[in-house]
Amino acid sequence: MSGLADHYYIRDLTEEDLPLALDFRQKMFSEMGVSEEVLISDSKQILQEMYSREFGAARLRHYVAYTTDSHVPVAICGALIKDDFPYFLFRPGSYGWIVDVYTVPEHRGKGLAKVLLTHTHDWLISKGILEAKLIASGKEARRLYERSGYAATWEMTLSLTGGTTFNSIIDER
């Protein structure tokens, strides 16, 4: 881990650890300014059920960095194997959707997200996945992903009612 091994260790989450991924997701949403009012009322329960289902089907994996001294989780990165339209029409019929990339503020800038992304990419490759996609949640995240080889694509968005879209929330960062 290029010097990080003295301060951090990485492990993959078990099904019992999935609430940790949800906690990190909540921190990320909060930091992004995603308020509870834009989410559906039972979003936490639905996400917990989906994570459990996808983990059980071996389509979801998370990696977490812990401090070596206090064993506190400080960074996370996950991937979900998806096969939605139109991607299921192309070989291999699925792609990796990178989720829950978050590092607690006092541990940022140390390369943890990049190391966790590498573990996540390796897992996707081991599952036969050829492509990873994600939504960059702001300018700093975009720089991280571009340094990791990600490229912006042609995806576009439009609010059909003139309201705020998830993409516009992210773009404000």
Side-chain angles (χ1 to χ4, degrees):
M1 274 198 313
S2 66
L4 293 177
D6 293 336
H7 304 286
Y8 304 97
Y9 63 94
I10 309 296
R11 79 178 187 86
D12 53 331
L13 291 187
T14 65
E15 186 168 10
E16 295 76 33
D17 296 325
L18 287 177
L20 178 62
L22 297 169
D23 289 344
F24 271 112
R25 173 173 279 277
Q26 181 60 42
K27 288 177 186 177
M28 180 178 60
F29 273 2
S30 179
E31 194 172 300
M32 288 171 54
V34 176
S35 67
E36 292 284 326
E37 61 200 35
V38 301
L39 301 173
I40 59 175
S41 62
D42 53 353
S43 63
K44 290 179 185 175
Q45 179 65 31
I46 290 171
L47 195 55
Q48 172 68 45
E49 291 169 3
M50 188 270 284
Y51 273 26
S52 184
R53 181 180 63 250
E54 296 300 321
F55 183 89
R59 294 172 54 90
L60 177 72
R61 175 69 61 98
H62 282 84
Y63 293 92
V64 177
Y66 293 83
T67 58
T68 54
D69 56 353
S70 58
H71 309 288
V72 173
V74 295
I76 191 167
C77 180
L80 173 65
I81 298 174
K82 296 180 73 174
D83 58 4
D84 52 2
F85 181 84
Y87 305 103
F88 66 77
L89 298 171
F90 299 93
R91 290 187 185 114
S94 53
Y95 63 95
W97 185 252
I98 304 300
V99 297
D100 304 330
V101 181
Y102 182 80
T103 303
V104 297
E106 53 272 13
H107 292 272
R108 290 181 184 162
K110 299 177 191 245
L112 290 170
K114 188 160 177 92
V115 169
L116 292 171
L117 270 170
T118 299
H119 281 275
T120 305
H121 294 158
D122 290 345
W123 176 73
L124 288 168
I125 291 166
S126 78
K127 301 294 272 180
I129 302 301
L130 306 176
E131 184 175 4
K133 298 176 179 296
L134 55 78
I135 296 173
S137 59
K139 292 175 182 73
E140 287 182 43
R142 186 177 177 114
R143 281 192 294 275
L144 162 71
Y145 300 128
E146 287 173 344
R147 285 192 311 265
S148 296
Y150 284 81
T153 64
W154 43 263
E155 184 173 335
M156 301 174 77
T157 187
L158 167 70
S159 171
L160 298 174
T161 62
T164 303
T165 64
F166 182 70
N167 287 13
S168 63
I169 292 170
I170 292 171
D171 286 344
E172 291 172 8
R173 295 192 70 219

